[in-house]
Amino acid sequence: MKLKKSVKRILIIAVILIIAGVGFLVYENFKPNNNIVKSTVVNEIKEYGYTLKSNKSAKYKKMFQELEDILSKDEVDEEAYVEQISKMFILDFYSLEDKLANTDVGGIEFVHTNARTNFLEKAEDTIYKYVESDIYGDREQSLPVVDEITIDDITKDSYTIGTDYTDEEAYVVTLSWTYEKDMGYQTEATLTFVHEDNKLSLVEIE
């Protein structure tokens, strides 16, 4: 009987050790990773729905502050406003280095509410398609960073959305830009903005 009890104890201990070992391996493989890169909102312009995230470049953060200054005036200078958000859109959309994944599309908050779904789908299927994940901060892929942005022209025109709305004072902004390193990406565009409630929103890129 003593021999049998000893064998049982050994088997029980062995089973416990095996379970503990398996549990440890499972934990190591599936535990939350503290090295995951996360972005948080560090500033916002509530009246216009604009937010600034922590992972944005120093250049973009400076431009966000300038936008905040423009929009804080008693009477907003719309031309200065549309010029600023045009530059911010180009910088955020075409700079891919600070994006955490191919679904982290830049400039989306400047896009008209009714056009965002289509805009995201096109972006994820084109320029953002091959952006590798960087949620652990270990991506080695070379990606473009917008350098200098030039406003070439700003004009007003009428723009019709569907059959219900026409903005007689839509803004058409023509821009060109360079990159820190030329990797063959787009360097010029024409953006059209319309009035959406109290703000200007992007409805077309050419």
Side-chain angles (χ1 to χ4, degrees):
M1 289 294 292
K2 288 183 179 179
L3 181 60
K4 289 182 179 179
K5 286 183 177 179
S6 298
V7 171
K8 283 185 178 180
R9 288 194 189 98
I10 292 171
L11 288 173
I12 290 170
I13 292 171
V15 170
I16 291 172
L17 290 174
I18 290 171
I19 292 172
V22 171
F24 177 76
L25 290 173
V26 171
Y27 174 75
E28 284 297 308
N29 281 290
F30 296 100
K31 69 179 180 179
N33 192 314
N34 293 327
N35 294 322
I36 291 178
V37 178
K38 297 179 181 179
S39 62
T40 57
V41 174
V42 295
N43 195 6
E44 60 183 326
I45 306 173
K46 292 182 179 180
E47 297 83 358
Y48 293 82
Y50 300 137
T51 59
L52 176 63
K53 293 185 177 180
S54 57
N55 64 318
K56 297 303 181 186
S57 67
K59 183 183 292 187
Y60 187 86
K61 289 176 180 177
K62 182 175 183 293
M63 293 174 77
F64 190 92
Q65 181 59 59
E66 292 169 350
L67 175 62
E68 191 172 22
D69 293 341
I70 291 170
L71 296 177
S72 66
K73 299 288 193 298
D74 292 335
E75 187 173 342
V76 174
D77 181 340
E78 277 202 341
E79 188 162 318
Y81 173 25
V82 77
E83 179 176 338
Q84 189 69 6
I85 59 176
S86 295
K87 290 180 178 179
M88 292 175 72
F89 173 80
I90 295 300
L91 178 62
D92 198 20
F93 183 71
Y94 289 99
S95 291
L96 304 182
E97 190 178 81
D98 62 350
K99 304 306 183 287
L100 299 179
N102 62 355
T103 55
D104 185 16
V105 178
I108 187 65
E109 62 187 358
F110 300 115
V111 177
H112 195 285
T113 303
N114 296 338
R116 286 182 183 178
T117 298
N118 187 51
F119 176 81
L120 282 170
E121 289 176 354
K122 285 187 176 181
E124 291 172 15
D125 196 44
T126 53
I127 185 172
Y128 282 76
K129 186 173 183 177
Y130 300 105
V131 175
E132 297 173 2
S133 173
D134 194 34
I135 61 173
Y136 296 108
D138 57 357
R139 182 175 60 204
E140 297 182 0
Q141 181 183 21
S142 294
L143 292 167
V145 178
V146 173
D147 188 14
E148 297 295 328
I149 305 168
T150 302
I151 299 290
D152 298 314
D153 191 34
I154 298 178
T155 58
K156 282 187 177 182
D157 200 356
S158 64
Y159 189 90
T160 300
I161 300 176
T163 58
D164 301 323
Y165 177 74
T166 298
D167 188 341
E168 298 294 348
E169 294 193 328
Y171 286 91
V172 181
V173 184
T174 304
L175 311 91
S176 55
W177 61 93
T178 59
Y179 294 92
E180 292 183 3
K181 182 180 179 181
D182 185 5
M183 302 175 69
Y185 284 82
Q186 184 174 344
T187 58
E188 57 184 30
T190 299
L191 311 180
T192 301
F193 293 85
V194 300
H195 294 83
E196 182 185 12
D197 297 325
N198 67 326
K199 66 181 182 178
L200 291 167
S201 296
L202 179 65
V203 288
E204 188 174 296
I205 307 174
E206 294 179 336

PDB file of all heavy atoms in Angstrom, residues 77-106:
ATOM      1  N   ASP A  77     -10.776  83.295 -40.834  1.00  0.00           N
ATOM      2  CA  ASP A  77     -10.321  83.558 -42.198  1.00  0.00           C
ATOM      3  C   ASP A  77     -10.384  82.226 -42.959  1.00  0.00           C
ATOM      4  O   ASP A  77      -9.534  81.361 -42.788  1.00  0.00           O
ATOM      5  CB  ASP A  77      -8.883  84.091 -42.161  1.00  0.00           C
ATOM      6  CG  ASP A  77      -8.339  84.423 -43.545  1.00  0.00           C
ATOM      7  OD1 ASP A  77      -8.887  83.915 -44.547  1.00  0.00           O
ATOM      8  OD2 ASP A  77      -7.340  85.156 -43.629  1.00  0.00           O
ATOM      9  N   GLU A  78     -11.412  82.072 -43.797  1.00  0.00           N
ATOM     10  CA  GLU A  78     -11.625  80.780 -44.456  1.00  0.00           C
ATOM     11  C   GLU A  78     -10.487  80.390 -45.402  1.00  0.00           C
ATOM     12  O   GLU A  78     -10.175  79.209 -45.537  1.00  0.00           O
ATOM     13  CB  GLU A  78     -12.955  80.765 -45.211  1.00  0.00           C
ATOM     14  CG  GLU A  78     -14.139  80.460 -44.335  1.00  0.00           C
ATOM     15  CD  GLU A  78     -15.323  79.940 -45.113  1.00  0.00           C
ATOM     16  OE1 GLU A  78     -15.373  80.145 -46.345  1.00  0.00           O
ATOM     17  OE2 GLU A  78     -16.206  79.329 -44.490  1.00  0.00           O
ATOM     18  N   GLU A  79      -9.879  81.351 -46.050  1.00  0.00           N
ATOM     19  CA  GLU A  79      -8.787  81.020 -46.967  1.00  0.00           C
ATOM     20  C   GLU A  79      -7.585  80.496 -46.189  1.00  0.00           C
ATOM     21  O   GLU A  79      -6.923  79.543 -46.605  1.00  0.00           O
ATOM     22  CB  GLU A  79      -8.402  82.223 -47.829  1.00  0.00           C
ATOM     23  CG  GLU A  79      -7.411  81.847 -48.921  1.00  0.00           C
ATOM     24  CD  GLU A  79      -7.339  82.869 -50.040  1.00  0.00           C
ATOM     25  OE1 GLU A  79      -8.393  83.378 -50.463  1.00  0.00           O
ATOM     26  OE2 GLU A  79      -6.214  83.148 -50.493  1.00  0.00           O
ATOM     27  N   ALA A  80      -7.299  81.124 -45.047  1.00  0.00           N
ATOM     28  CA  ALA A  80      -6.201  80.639 -44.199  1.00  0.00           C
ATOM     29  C   ALA A  80      -6.539  79.249 -43.651  1.00  0.00           C
ATOM     30  O   ALA A  80      -5.682  78.371 -43.551  1.00  0.00           O
ATOM     31  CB  ALA A  80      -5.958  81.609 -43.045  1.00  0.00           C
ATOM     32  N   TYR A  81      -7.808  79.064 -43.324  1.00  0.00           N
ATOM     33  CA  TYR A  81      -8.299  77.787 -42.805  1.00  0.00           C
ATOM     34  C   TYR A  81      -8.129  76.673 -43.840  1.00  0.00           C
ATOM     35  O   TYR A  81      -7.553  75.608 -43.550  1.00  0.00           O
ATOM     36  CB  TYR A  81      -9.763  77.972 -42.402  1.00  0.00           C
ATOM     37  CG  TYR A  81     -10.529  76.730 -41.998  1.00  0.00           C
ATOM     38  CD1 TYR A  81      -9.896  75.588 -41.503  1.00  0.00           C
ATOM     39  CD2 TYR A  81     -11.919  76.714 -42.108  1.00  0.00           C
ATOM     40  CE1 TYR A  81     -10.636  74.464 -41.138  1.00  0.00           C
ATOM     41  CE2 TYR A  81     -12.662  75.600 -41.737  1.00  0.00           C
ATOM     42  CZ  TYR A  81     -12.012  74.476 -41.260  1.00  0.00           C
ATOM     43  OH  TYR A  81     -12.743  73.377 -40.899  1.00  0.00           O
ATOM     44  N   VAL A  82      -8.607  76.913 -45.070  1.00  0.00           N
ATOM     45  CA  VAL A  82      -8.532  75.864 -46.092  1.00  0.00           C
ATOM     46  C   VAL A  82      -7.088  75.609 -46.515  1.00  0.00           C
ATOM     47  O   VAL A  82      -6.711  74.471 -46.835  1.00  0.00           O
ATOM     48  CB  VAL A  82      -9.420  76.215 -47.313  1.00  0.00           C
ATOM     49  CG1 VAL A  82      -8.771  77.272 -48.209  1.00  0.00           C
ATOM     50  CG2 VAL A  82      -9.743  74.953 -48.112  1.00  0.00           C
ATOM     51  N   GLU A  83      -6.260  76.645 -46.498  1.00  0.00           N
ATOM     52  CA  GLU A  83      -4.845  76.453 -46.811  1.00  0.00           C
ATOM     53  C   GLU A  83      -4.181  75.553 -45.766  1.00  0.00           C
ATOM     54  O   GLU A  83      -3.423  74.642 -46.105  1.00  0.00           O
ATOM     55  CB  GLU A  83      -4.132  77.810 -46.866  1.00  0.00           C
ATOM     56  CG  GLU A  83      -2.637  77.693 -47.155  1.00  0.00           C
ATOM     57  CD  GLU A  83      -1.957  79.049 -47.294  1.00  0.00           C
ATOM     58  OE1 GLU A  83      -2.663  80.044 -47.588  1.00  0.00           O
ATOM     59  OE2 GLU A  83      -0.732  79.100 -47.103  1.00  0.00           O
ATOM     60  N   GLN A  84      -4.508  75.799 -44.491  1.00  0.00           N
ATOM     61  CA  GLN A  84      -3.893  75.016 -43.417  1.00  0.00           C
ATOM     62  C   GLN A  84      -4.319  73.550 -43.447  1.00  0.00           C
ATOM     63  O   GLN A  84      -3.491  72.650 -43.337  1.00  0.00           O
ATOM     64  CB  GLN A  84      -4.246  75.640 -42.062  1.00  0.00           C
ATOM     65  CG  GLN A  84      -3.498  75.038 -40.882  1.00  0.00           C
ATOM     66  CD  GLN A  84      -2.011  75.381 -40.890  1.00  0.00           C
ATOM     67  OE1 GLN A  84      -1.540  76.172 -41.714  1.00  0.00           O
ATOM     68  NE2 GLN A  84      -1.271  74.780 -39.980  1.00  0.00           N
ATOM     69  N   ILE A  85      -5.624  73.293 -43.613  1.00  0.00           N
ATOM     70  CA  ILE A  85      -6.061  71.899 -43.602  1.00  0.00           C
ATOM     71  C   ILE A  85      -5.635  71.165 -44.871  1.00  0.00           C
ATOM     72  O   ILE A  85      -5.470  69.934 -44.853  1.00  0.00           O
ATOM     73  CB  ILE A  85      -7.588  71.758 -43.382  1.00  0.00           C
ATOM     74  CG1 ILE A  85      -8.395  72.474 -44.451  1.00  0.00           C
ATOM     75  CG2 ILE A  85      -7.952  72.255 -41.991  1.00  0.00           C
ATOM     76  CD1 ILE A  85      -9.903  72.274 -44.320  1.00  0.00           C
ATOM     77  N   SER A  86      -5.422  71.901 -45.952  1.00  0.00           N
ATOM     78  CA  SER A  86      -4.897  71.273 -47.176  1.00  0.00           C
ATOM     79  C   SER A  86      -3.482  70.751 -46.924  1.00  0.00           C
ATOM     80  O   SER A  86      -3.150  69.617 -47.277  1.00  0.00           O
ATOM     81  CB  SER A  86      -4.890  72.276 -48.333  1.00  0.00           C
ATOM     82  OG  SER A  86      -6.202  72.661 -48.685  1.00  0.00           O
ATOM     83  N   LYS A  87      -2.663  71.583 -46.312  1.00  0.00           N
ATOM     84  CA  LYS A  87      -1.296  71.167 -45.990  1.00  0.00           C
ATOM     85  C   LYS A  87      -1.284  70.020 -44.987  1.00  0.00           C
ATOM     86  O   LYS A  87      -0.508  69.068 -45.121  1.00  0.00           O
ATOM     87  CB  LYS A  87      -0.510  72.358 -45.419  1.00  0.00           C
ATOM     88  CG  LYS A  87      -0.179  73.444 -46.430  1.00  0.00           C
ATOM     89  CD  LYS A  87       0.606  74.573 -45.762  1.00  0.00           C
ATOM     90  CE  LYS A  87       1.001  75.644 -46.745  1.00  0.00           C
ATOM     91  NZ  LYS A  87       1.751  76.751 -46.078  1.00  0.00           N
ATOM     92  N   MET A  88      -2.156  70.113 -43.995  1.00  0.00           N
ATOM     93  CA  MET A  88      -2.204  69.065 -42.976  1.00  0.00           C
ATOM     94  C   MET A  88      -2.670  67.739 -43.560  1.00  0.00           C
ATOM     95  O   MET A  88      -2.167  66.661 -43.201  1.00  0.00           O
ATOM     96  CB  MET A  88      -3.115  69.492 -41.822  1.00  0.00           C
ATOM     97  CG  MET A  88      -2.564  70.646 -41.013  1.00  0.00           C
ATOM     98  SD  MET A  88      -3.713  71.242 -39.748  1.00  0.00           S
ATOM     99  CE  MET A  88      -3.636  69.892 -38.560  1.00  0.00           C
ATOM    100  N   PHE A  89      -3.622  67.808 -44.486  1.00  0.00           N
ATOM    101  CA  PHE A  89      -4.092  66.580 -45.135  1.00  0.00           C
ATOM    102  C   PHE A  89      -2.964  65.928 -45.924  1.00  0.00           C
ATOM    103  O   PHE A  89      -2.738  64.713 -45.809  1.00  0.00           O
ATOM    104  CB  PHE A  89      -5.273  66.877 -46.063  1.00  0.00           C
ATOM    105  CG  PHE A  89      -5.668  65.674 -46.871  1.00  0.00           C
ATOM    106  CD1 PHE A  89      -6.449  64.669 -46.307  1.00  0.00           C
ATOM    107  CD2 PHE A  89      -5.226  65.524 -48.182  1.00  0.00           C
ATOM    108  CE1 PHE A  89      -6.785  63.536 -47.041  1.00  0.00           C
ATOM    109  CE2 PHE A  89      -5.561  64.398 -48.923  1.00  0.00           C
ATOM    110  CZ  PHE A  89      -6.334  63.393 -48.351  1.00  0.00           C
ATOM    111  N   ILE A  90      -2.271  66.708 -46.725  1.00  0.00           N
ATOM    112  CA  ILE A  90      -1.174  66.163 -47.536  1.00  0.00           C
ATOM    113  C   ILE A  90      -0.095  65.556 -46.636  1.00  0.00           C
ATOM    114  O   ILE A  90       0.380  64.432 -46.880  1.00  0.00           O
ATOM    115  CB  ILE A  90      -0.566  67.253 -48.441  1.00  0.00           C
ATOM    116  CG1 ILE A  90      -1.589  67.739 -49.481  1.00  0.00           C
ATOM    117  CG2 ILE A  90       0.703  66.746 -49.119  1.00  0.00           C
ATOM    118  CD1 ILE A  90      -2.108  66.662 -50.413  1.00  0.00           C
ATOM    119  N   LEU A  91       0.290  66.284 -45.604  1.00  0.00           N
ATOM    120  CA  LEU A  91       1.326  65.797 -44.696  1.00  0.00           C
ATOM    121  C   LEU A  91       0.908  64.496 -44.022  1.00  0.00           C
ATOM    122  O   LEU A  91       1.688  63.534 -43.953  1.00  0.00           O
ATOM    123  CB  LEU A  91       1.627  66.861 -43.634  1.00  0.00           C
ATOM    124  CG  LEU A  91       2.673  66.481 -42.569  1.00  0.00           C
ATOM    125  CD1 LEU A  91       4.032  66.220 -43.221  1.00  0.00           C
ATOM    126  CD2 LEU A  91       2.788  67.579 -41.522  1.00  0.00           C
ATOM    127  N   ASP A  92      -0.335  64.446 -43.559  1.00  0.00           N
ATOM    128  CA  ASP A  92      -0.794  63.274 -42.813  1.00  0.00           C
ATOM    129  C   ASP A  92      -1.114  62.091 -43.718  1.00  0.00           C
ATOM    130  O   ASP A  92      -0.832  60.938 -43.374  1.00  0.00           O
ATOM    131  CB  ASP A  92      -2.034  63.653 -41.992  1.00  0.00           C
ATOM    132  CG  ASP A  92      -2.310  62.658 -40.876  1.00  0.00           C
ATOM    133  OD1 ASP A  92      -1.389  61.914 -40.491  1.00  0.00           O
ATOM    134  OD2 ASP A  92      -3.437  62.634 -40.368  1.00  0.00           O
ATOM    135  N   PHE A  93      -1.693  62.348 -44.880  1.00  0.00           N
ATOM    136  CA  PHE A  93      -2.105  61.250 -45.753  1.00  0.00           C
ATOM    137  C   PHE A  93      -0.931  60.609 -46.481  1.00  0.00           C
ATOM    138  O   PHE A  93      -0.855  59.380 -46.603  1.00  0.00           O
ATOM    139  CB  PHE A  93      -3.129  61.753 -46.773  1.00  0.00           C
ATOM    140  CG  PHE A  93      -3.664  60.665 -47.668  1.00  0.00           C
ATOM    141  CD1 PHE A  93      -4.529  59.691 -47.163  1.00  0.00           C
ATOM    142  CD2 PHE A  93      -3.310  60.601 -49.012  1.00  0.00           C
ATOM    143  CE1 PHE A  93      -5.026  58.683 -47.976  1.00  0.00           C
ATOM    144  CE2 PHE A  93      -3.804  59.594 -49.831  1.00  0.00           C
ATOM    145  CZ  PHE A  93      -4.660  58.633 -49.320  1.00  0.00           C
ATOM    146  N   TYR A  94       0.003  61.434 -46.960  1.00  0.00           N
ATOM    147  CA  TYR A  94       1.095  60.896 -47.778  1.00  0.00           C
ATOM    148  C   TYR A  94       2.357  60.560 -46.982  1.00  0.00           C
ATOM    149  O   TYR A  94       3.274  59.951 -47.534  1.00  0.00           O
ATOM    150  CB  TYR A  94       1.425  61.870 -48.912  1.00  0.00           C
ATOM    151  CG  TYR A  94       0.336  61.921 -49.973  1.00  0.00           C
ATOM    152  CD1 TYR A  94      -0.615  62.937 -49.971  1.00  0.00           C
ATOM    153  CD2 TYR A  94       0.250  60.933 -50.946  1.00  0.00           C
ATOM    154  CE1 TYR A  94      -1.621  62.981 -50.930  1.00  0.00           C
ATOM    155  CE2 TYR A  94      -0.756  60.964 -51.909  1.00  0.00           C
ATOM    156  CZ  TYR A  94      -1.693  61.990 -51.892  1.00  0.00           C
ATOM    157  OH  TYR A  94      -2.696  62.017 -52.835  1.00  0.00           O
ATOM    158  N   SER A  95       2.425  60.942 -45.709  1.00  0.00           N
ATOM    159  CA  SER A  95       3.527  60.494 -44.854  1.00  0.00           C
ATOM    160  C   SER A  95       3.113  59.167 -44.227  1.00  0.00           C
ATOM    161  O   SER A  95       2.228  59.117 -43.373  1.00  0.00           O
ATOM    162  CB  SER A  95       3.816  61.525 -43.747  1.00  0.00           C
ATOM    163  OG  SER A  95       4.360  62.705 -44.277  1.00  0.00           O
ATOM    164  N   LEU A  96       3.752  58.086 -44.625  1.00  0.00           N
ATOM    165  CA  LEU A  96       3.358  56.757 -44.169  1.00  0.00           C
ATOM    166  C   LEU A  96       4.223  56.222 -43.029  1.00  0.00           C
ATOM    167  O   LEU A  96       3.851  55.250 -42.373  1.00  0.00           O
ATOM    168  CB  LEU A  96       3.406  55.761 -45.343  1.00  0.00           C
ATOM    169  CG  LEU A  96       2.570  56.132 -46.576  1.00  0.00           C
ATOM    170  CD1 LEU A  96       2.690  55.029 -47.633  1.00  0.00           C
ATOM    171  CD2 LEU A  96       1.121  56.373 -46.209  1.00  0.00           C
ATOM    172  N   GLU A  97       5.345  56.861 -42.791  1.00  0.00           N
ATOM    173  CA  GLU A  97       6.285  56.335 -41.796  1.00  0.00           C
ATOM    174  C   GLU A  97       5.712  56.272 -40.386  1.00  0.00           C
ATOM    175  O   GLU A  97       6.036  55.385 -39.596  1.00  0.00           O
ATOM    176  CB  GLU A  97       7.565  57.178 -41.785  1.00  0.00           C
ATOM    177  CG  GLU A  97       8.674  56.559 -40.958  1.00  0.00           C
ATOM    178  CD  GLU A  97       9.937  57.391 -41.007  1.00  0.00           C
ATOM    179  OE1 GLU A  97      10.023  58.390 -40.272  1.00  0.00           O
ATOM    180  OE2 GLU A  97      10.835  57.052 -41.798  1.00  0.00           O
ATOM    181  N   ASP A  98       4.829  57.208 -40.029  1.00  0.00           N
ATOM    182  CA  ASP A  98       4.284  57.234 -38.667  1.00  0.00           C
ATOM    183  C   ASP A  98       2.988  56.430 -38.523  1.00  0.00           C
ATOM    184  O   ASP A  98       2.374  56.420 -37.456  1.00  0.00           O
ATOM    185  CB  ASP A  98       4.043  58.679 -38.203  1.00  0.00           C
ATOM    186  CG  ASP A  98       3.011  59.403 -39.072  1.00  0.00           C
ATOM    187  OD1 ASP A  98       2.630  58.853 -40.125  1.00  0.00           O
ATOM    188  OD2 ASP A  98       2.599  60.509 -38.700  1.00  0.00           O
ATOM    189  N   LYS A  99       2.587  55.730 -39.582  1.00  0.00           N
ATOM    190  CA  LYS A  99       1.351  54.947 -39.526  1.00  0.00           C
ATOM    191  C   LYS A  99       1.624  53.576 -38.906  1.00  0.00           C
ATOM    192  O   LYS A  99       2.630  52.939 -39.196  1.00  0.00           O
ATOM    193  CB  LYS A  99       0.745  54.786 -40.925  1.00  0.00           C
ATOM    194  CG  LYS A  99       0.483  56.122 -41.628  1.00  0.00           C
ATOM    195  CD  LYS A  99      -0.369  57.049 -40.783  1.00  0.00           C
ATOM    196  CE  LYS A  99      -0.719  58.349 -41.476  1.00  0.00           C
ATOM    197  NZ  LYS A  99       0.408  59.284 -41.596  1.00  0.00           N
ATOM    198  N   LEU A 100       0.712  53.126 -38.040  1.00  0.00           N
ATOM    199  CA  LEU A 100       0.913  51.880 -37.309  1.00  0.00           C
ATOM    200  C   LEU A 100       0.489  50.648 -38.096  1.00  0.00           C
ATOM    201  O   LEU A 100       0.913  49.531 -37.780  1.00  0.00           O
ATOM    202  CB  LEU A 100       0.133  51.927 -35.987  1.00  0.00           C
ATOM    203  CG  LEU A 100       0.543  53.042 -35.016  1.00  0.00           C
ATOM    204  CD1 LEU A 100      -0.316  52.998 -33.765  1.00  0.00           C
ATOM    205  CD2 LEU A 100       2.014  52.899 -34.653  1.00  0.00           C
ATOM    206  N   ALA A 101      -0.339  50.829 -39.124  1.00  0.00           N
ATOM    207  CA  ALA A 101      -0.797  49.699 -39.936  1.00  0.00           C
ATOM    208  C   ALA A 101      -1.422  50.242 -41.218  1.00  0.00           C
ATOM    209  O   ALA A 101      -1.590  51.458 -41.367  1.00  0.00           O
ATOM    210  CB  ALA A 101      -1.821  48.866 -39.164  1.00  0.00           C
ATOM    211  N   ASN A 102      -1.774  49.347 -42.141  1.00  0.00           N
ATOM    212  CA  ASN A 102      -2.343  49.815 -43.402  1.00  0.00           C
ATOM    213  C   ASN A 102      -3.774  50.326 -43.248  1.00  0.00           C
ATOM    214  O   ASN A 102      -4.351  50.872 -44.186  1.00  0.00           O
ATOM    215  CB  ASN A 102      -2.283  48.716 -44.466  1.00  0.00           C
ATOM    216  CG  ASN A 102      -3.090  47.482 -44.093  1.00  0.00           C
ATOM    217  OD1 ASN A 102      -3.640  47.389 -42.988  1.00  0.00           O
ATOM    218  ND2 ASN A 102      -3.147  46.520 -44.996  1.00  0.00           N
ATOM    219  N   THR A 103      -4.352  50.153 -42.068  1.00  0.00           N
ATOM    220  CA  THR A 103      -5.691  50.703 -41.794  1.00  0.00           C
ATOM    221  C   THR A 103      -5.612  52.043 -41.064  1.00  0.00           C
ATOM    222  O   THR A 103      -6.637  52.674 -40.817  1.00  0.00           O
ATOM    223  CB  THR A 103      -6.509  49.717 -40.931  1.00  0.00           C
ATOM    224  OG1 THR A 103      -5.771  49.406 -39.736  1.00  0.00           O
ATOM    225  CG2 THR A 103      -6.780  48.426 -41.692  1.00  0.00           C
ATOM    226  N   ASP A 104      -4.405  52.481 -40.738  1.00  0.00           N
ATOM    227  CA  ASP A 104      -4.193  53.739 -40.028  1.00  0.00           C
ATOM    228  C   ASP A 104      -4.052  54.865 -41.055  1.00  0.00           C
ATOM    229  O   ASP A 104      -2.984  55.436 -41.237  1.00  0.00           O
ATOM    230  CB  ASP A 104      -2.936  53.621 -39.149  1.00  0.00           C
ATOM    231  CG  ASP A 104      -2.698  54.846 -38.283  1.00  0.00           C
ATOM    232  OD1 ASP A 104      -3.630  55.651 -38.121  1.00  0.00           O
ATOM    233  OD2 ASP A 104      -1.564  54.992 -37.761  1.00  0.00           O
ATOM    234  N   VAL A 105      -5.146  55.169 -41.712  1.00  0.00           N
ATOM    235  CA  VAL A 105      -5.131  56.130 -42.825  1.00  0.00           C
ATOM    236  C   VAL A 105      -5.101  57.563 -42.310  1.00  0.00           C
ATOM    237  O   VAL A 105      -5.931  57.959 -41.485  1.00  0.00           O
ATOM    238  CB  VAL A 105      -6.350  55.918 -43.744  1.00  0.00           C
ATOM    239  CG1 VAL A 105      -6.368  56.956 -44.872  1.00  0.00           C
ATOM    240  CG2 VAL A 105      -6.343  54.503 -44.311  1.00  0.00           C
ATOM    241  N   GLY A 106      -4.172  58.338 -42.802  1.00  0.00           N
ATOM    242  CA  GLY A 106      -4.013  59.715 -42.358  1.00  0.00           C
ATOM    243  C   GLY A 106      -4.986  60.666 -43.040  1.00  0.00           C
ATOM    244  O   GLY A 106      -5.476  60.407 -44.141  1.00  0.00           O
TER     245      GLY A 106
END
